[in-house]
Amino acid sequence: MARVYLSIGSNIERDKNIRAGLDALSGHFADLVCSPVYESVAEGFAGDSFYNLVVGFDTELGVIAVADILREIEDLQQRVRNAPKFSSRTLDLDLLLYDDCVLSDERLQIPRAEIEQYAFVLQPLADIAPTERHPLLNISYEKMWSVFDSAKVAQHIVPFVWQPKPRPR
């Protein structure tokens, strides 16, 4: 069983798209552990603020199968694939960690570099996996967050409630 962490973000119809993403994820993966939702300024472009969170879950699926499911869920929310890297998003699901896997190819980078770069990824990850350790740096996410450059933090927790729908038996 692999432990997976992914980041979720949206700055287009944020509530609707984040909820739809969580609903779809809960249809594939049981017992989602969700961080608080943070509102953060857009990085790299002028745009509406994002809602961001990190979700953890366990799965028997391989890393590629998980990545394929994330892509399908994004597509269901009309994710535009040919948009510039830094642009508005209906739903962005980024696979941050898959157990202690280290992978870098044309499609996936695990662990994601964004863990070290962006408060909107690291803080929610530290919220739900404080003692887990970065597979390359061997430092806990709690420690990484404690030394993160606070000048780069432009976010705050927002009220957000989501309840998973009952899973079919």
Side-chain angles (χ1 to χ4, degrees):
M1 184 84 64
R3 185 64 171 174
V4 174
Y5 292 97
L6 60 101
S7 65
I8 302 176
S10 174
N11 76 333
I12 299 173
E13 296 184 76
R14 302 175 302 188
D15 285 285
K16 174 186 158 248
N17 285 309
I18 296 289
R19 279 187 174 74
L22 289 168
D23 286 343
L25 286 166
S26 71
H28 290 278
F29 308 106
D31 303 320
L32 300 182
V33 176
C34 299
S35 76
V37 173
Y38 290 84
E39 184 174 33
S40 58
V41 299
E43 293 272 348
F45 71 101
D48 293 333
S49 294
F50 277 79
Y51 277 2
N52 294 287
L53 70 151
V54 169
V55 172
F57 56 85
D58 294 320
T59 184
E60 298 280 347
L61 296 175
V63 65
I64 300 301
V66 172
D68 288 344
I69 290 169
L70 300 183
R71 188 174 178 92
E72 289 171 17
I73 293 170
E74 288 176 334
D75 289 344
L76 289 171
Q77 294 310 117
Q78 287 76 51
R79 167 72 185 265
V80 176
R81 296 278 170 207
N82 59 355
K85 178 178 177 169
F86 295 108
S87 62
S88 293
R89 302 267 195 271
T90 54
L91 187 64
D92 191 21
L93 302 175
D94 289 330
L95 185 54
L96 301 174
L97 298 159
Y98 182 94
D99 265 348
D100 289 333
C101 177
V102 176
L103 173 66
S104 184
D105 62 24
E106 66 280 345
R107 183 171 170 203
L108 290 173
Q109 179 195 38
I110 301 172
R112 292 283 293 221
E114 287 87 347
I115 294 169
E116 298 172 68
Q117 297 169 338
Y118 298 115
F120 65 81
V121 176
L122 182 55
Q123 187 174 16
L125 180 59
D127 287 340
I128 63 171
T131 61
E132 297 288 326
R133 300 179 88 72
H134 190 283
L136 294 173
L137 304 175
N138 197 29
I139 301 170
S140 74
Y141 299 110
E142 179 178 59
K143 177 66 174 171
M144 289 175 70
W145 178 243
S146 74
V147 298
F148 192 82
D149 182 359
S150 62
K152 293 182 178 181
V153 179
Q155 65 189 19
H156 61 276
I157 293 175
V158 295
F160 189 93
V161 177
W162 171 77
Q163 292 295 321
K165 295 178 175 147
R167 292 174 60 90
R169 298 195 183 253

